[in-house]
Amino acid sequence: MQPVKFYFSFLDQSSRALYILLEASKIPFEAIPISILKGEHLTGEFRDKVSQFKCLPVINDDNLSLVGSITIFRHLNREKIVPEHWYPRRNYGRSRIDEFLEWQQRNTAMACGNYFQQKWLSPILNKASPDAKNASVLTECLNQSLKNFENHFLNKNKFVIGENISYADLMAICEIDQPKFIGFDPFNHHPKLGKWYDRVREELGPYYKKVAIEFDNKLRTAEKKIPEVMYLQQ
Amino acid sequence: MQPVKFYFSFLDQSSRALYILLEASKIPFEAIPISILKGEHLTGEFRDKVSQFKCLPVINDDNLSLVGSITIFRHLNREKIVPEHWYPRRNYGRSRIDEFLEWQQRNTAMACGNYFQQKWLSPILNKASPDAKNASVLTECLNQSLKNFENHFLNKNKFVIGENISYADLMAICEIDQPKFIGFDPFNHHPKLGKWYDRVREELGPYYKKVAIEFDNKLRTAEKKIPEVMYLQQ
């Protein structure tokens, strides 16, 4: 069987979650990095040859092109061998993970994504310092969504849906890393979140570590090229 | 087996899609209407007894409470007997429907939802006319997202993913009805959309008709109570 072609960027949270899942599940894949900073995903070539949606991550599996982290996650579960704990059938685990992922998209993912976009990505792409007026709204919104995440999902169990790590935890840690890796402290006022974060990181071990180092490298390399923006951002 | 408890509002697009799916699939369910206009989904009673998320639609099945249209749709597919065409296994149909639903959430669903919220729901709830400055942005955004829907999904096939109706079509028509039923013409400049819309409506037959009439009744009844807002909205 052909390896899955995986078009991704380490700067993108969903790409990192899938990269970890693919490696941890030992699914053969060909990693094809796409530069968001160079806008490679926005070109006509990408649209014609990879995916019409100009978004990352994308896979190509058996000539089917698919975009979207949750879509790809479910596709892999149907078509490949993915260890059960990521998306367990027992105790309605799949329904509860689906509920978390749908909730997250409108809450933590949106808040973390907006924060990263406006505090880091847009300033880098536009070579301009971020809008100061917006900054306090972004921070407030992010803190509120982290508080909701704690209250709704980190009250009873070791991980989001129970005693084992699932794709819910993997998506959540990658989302939260977007603001965290550019200087936001997500654990201030959120002690349960801090403990959960450490457990997830430990459980993911070297798979997480590798991807986190790559993400950090991409951030720091880009910042070196536009130091004046980063200085204004402080 | 106990019927599924279904908490919903005809004013909510995802509720209508699931209502049609439940009826068309002959899944036994108890319909429990919740008034968005009275804020019944925001109360402590709803949170404690139905769902912690203060959102609609919600089901309670075998003591599992679940929120979110796509989550509930997938749960019903796993736990009940749902006709194959709604979420077909063949030709990677499930992956392609998942991709559409994930795309839609960030595009048409967001544009249709914002339009409805700002042009109808907020004015009704706040007893104030809508923000005129915003109106042209909302319309532009909505037209752009309908154009994208046409270009990406209505080029080749009778329905979104092929020759048969699926949950992708059902979600899409219910989303588009949000602006349509409050006076927006989605078919202006979008002829393919108009033809697709007629096909979907015809295919859904009486199931669609019943739900559309209920939606329309809710809208008109609420408007009668605050005619001055509706007058200013023109």
Side-chain angles (χ1 to χ4, degrees):
Chain A
M1 207 193 287
Q2 289 285 320
V4 174
K5 282 187 182 174
F6 179 53
Y7 301 84
F8 77 103
S9 163
F10 283 120
L11 288 174
D12 170 61
Q13 63 281 15
S14 303
S15 294
R16 294 197 304 278
L18 281 174
Y19 196 105
I20 290 170
L21 183 87
L22 286 161
E23 288 224 307
S25 305
K26 319 272 184 231
I27 296 170
F29 71 107
E30 180 190 347
I32 304 163
I34 299 292
S35 170
I36 292 177
L37 297 179
K38 290 183 191 155
E40 287 174 356
H41 59 307
L42 304 174
T43 62
E45 198 189 343
F46 184 86
R47 185 195 59 212
D48 296 340
K49 293 194 181 160
V50 181
S51 163
Q52 59 174 330
F53 296 109
K54 299 182 176 177
C55 278
L56 291 178
V58 175
I59 60 163
N60 192 298
D61 180 29
D62 189 24
N63 285 325
L64 174 74
S65 157
L66 280 180
V67 69
S69 162
I70 299 171
T71 298
I72 296 171
F73 167 65
R74 291 202 180 91
H75 176 83
L76 296 174
N77 267 281
R78 275 190 293 266
E79 306 296 334
K80 314 290 169 189
I81 296 162
V82 173
E84 179 71 10
H85 69 86
W86 292 114
Y87 203 32
R89 283 175 185 79
R90 259 172 52 128
N91 294 330
Y92 298 124
R94 296 194 164 193
S95 299
R96 288 156 62 220
I97 291 171
D98 284 356
E99 183 181 61
F100 173 76
L101 294 173
E102 201 169 347
W103 177 88
Q104 193 215 218
Q105 284 203 320
R106 293 176 196 191
N107 291 276
T108 35
M110 202 173 274
C112 293
N114 281 343
Y115 189 97
F116 183 78
Q117 170 90 28
Q118 298 204 33
K119 294 272 273 190
W120 195 89
L121 190 59
S122 291
I124 289 273
L125 291 174
N126 305 324
K127 297 188 177 51
S129 60
D131 183 353
K133 263 199 302 186
N134 248 335
S136 66
V137 178
L138 288 168
T139 304
E140 202 183 309
C141 181
L142 183 50
N143 271 317
Q144 183 59 49
S145 86
L146 294 174
K147 193 177 147 196
N148 291 341
F149 175 49
E150 250 194 338
N151 288 343
H152 289 314
F153 297 102
L154 303 181
N155 265 325
K156 290 182 300 197
N157 302 313
K158 226 172 127 182
F159 295 102
V160 170
I161 69 143
E163 290 307 298
N164 298 309
I165 195 165
S166 76
Y167 197 62
D169 302 282
L170 181 47
M171 274 296 280
I173 196 172
C174 291
E175 297 286 357
I176 291 168
D177 278 344
Q178 294 297 97
K180 183 174 184 291
F181 275 55
I182 58 165
F184 177 83
D185 176 7
F187 312 132
N188 196 11
H189 309 302
H190 306 118
K192 281 186 207 162
L193 187 71
K195 284 181 190 154
W196 164 85
Y197 187 96
D198 289 342
R199 279 196 295 274
V200 176
R201 195 169 51 177
E202 195 175 315
E203 190 78 14
L204 296 171
Y207 301 114
Y208 175 81
K209 203 170 174 185
K210 171 182 170 180
V211 162
I213 289 170
E214 294 279 2
F215 179 33
D216 197 62
N217 282 344
K218 292 272 175 217
L219 292 168
R220 305 299 87 94
T221 307
E223 286 166 5
K224 269 186 207 145
K225 288 186 188 156
I226 323 184
E228 65 278 21
V229 172
M230 290 301 117
Y231 176 73
L232 286 166
Q233 203 168 348
Q234 302 308 312
Chain B
M1 207 192 287
Q2 287 286 317
V4 174
K5 283 188 181 173
F6 178 53
Y7 301 84
F8 77 104
S9 163
F10 284 119
L11 288 174
D12 169 61
Q13 62 281 17
S14 304
S15 293
R16 293 197 305 278
L18 282 174
Y19 197 104
I20 291 171
L21 183 87
L22 286 161
E23 288 225 309
S25 306
K26 320 271 184 234
I27 296 170
F29 72 106
E30 180 189 347
I32 304 162
I34 299 292
S35 171
I36 292 177
L37 297 178
K38 289 183 192 154
E40 287 175 355
H41 60 305
L42 304 174
T43 62
E45 199 190 341
F46 185 86
R47 184 194 60 214
D48 296 340
K49 293 193 179 160
V50 181
S51 163
Q52 59 175 329
F53 295 109
K54 299 182 177 178
C55 279
L56 292 178
V58 175
I59 60 163
N60 192 299
D61 180 29
D62 189 24
N63 286 325
L64 173 74
S65 157
L66 280 180
V67 69
S69 163
I70 299 171
T71 298
I72 296 171
F73 168 66
R74 290 201 181 92
H75 176 83
L76 296 174
N77 267 281
R78 275 190 292 266
E79 306 296 333
K80 314 288 168 189
I81 297 162
V82 173
E84 180 72 9
H85 69 87
W86 293 113
Y87 203 32
R89 283 176 187 80
R90 260 171 51 129
N91 295 331
Y92 298 125
R94 296 195 163 193
S95 299
R96 288 156 61 221
I97 292 172
D98 284 356
E99 183 181 61
F100 173 76
L101 294 173
E102 201 169 349
W103 177 87
Q104 193 214 219
Q105 284 204 320
R106 293 174 197 192
N107 291 276
T108 35
M110 202 172 276
C112 293
N114 280 343
Y115 189 97
F116 183 78
Q117 170 92 29
Q118 299 203 32
K119 294 272 271 190
W120 195 90
L121 191 59
S122 292
I124 289 273
L125 291 175
N126 305 324
K127 297 186 177 50
S129 59
D131 184 353
K133 261 197 306 186
N134 249 335
S136 65
V137 178
L138 288 168
T139 304
E140 201 181 310
C141 181
L142 183 48
N143 271 316
Q144 183 60 49
S145 87
L146 294 175
K147 192 177 149 197
N148 291 340
F149 176 49
E150 249 194 339
N151 289 343
H152 289 315
F153 297 103
L154 303 181
N155 265 326
K156 289 182 300 196
N157 302 312
K158 226 171 128 185
F159 295 102
V160 169
I161 69 142
E163 291 306 298
N164 298 309
I165 194 165
S166 76
Y167 198 62
D169 302 282
L170 182 47
M171 274 297 279
I173 195 172
C174 291
E175 296 286 357
I176 291 168
D177 278 346
Q178 293 297 96
K180 183 173 183 294
F181 275 56
I182 57 166
F184 177 83
D185 177 8
F187 312 131
N188 196 10
H189 310 303
H190 306 118
K192 280 186 208 162
L193 187 71
K195 283 180 192 156
W196 163 86
Y197 186 95
D198 288 343
R199 279 195 295 274
V200 175
R201 198 169 48 176
E202 194 176 314
E203 190 79 15
L204 296 171
Y207 301 115
Y208 175 81
K209 203 169 174 187
K210 171 181 169 178
V211 162
I213 290 170
E214 294 279 2
F215 179 33
D216 197 61
N217 281 344
K218 292 274 175 217
L219 292 169
R220 306 297 87 93
T221 307
E223 286 165 5
K224 269 187 206 144
K225 289 187 187 154
I226 324 183
E228 64 279 22
V229 171
M230 289 302 115
Y231 177 74
L232 287 166
Q233 203 169 345
Q234 302 308 314

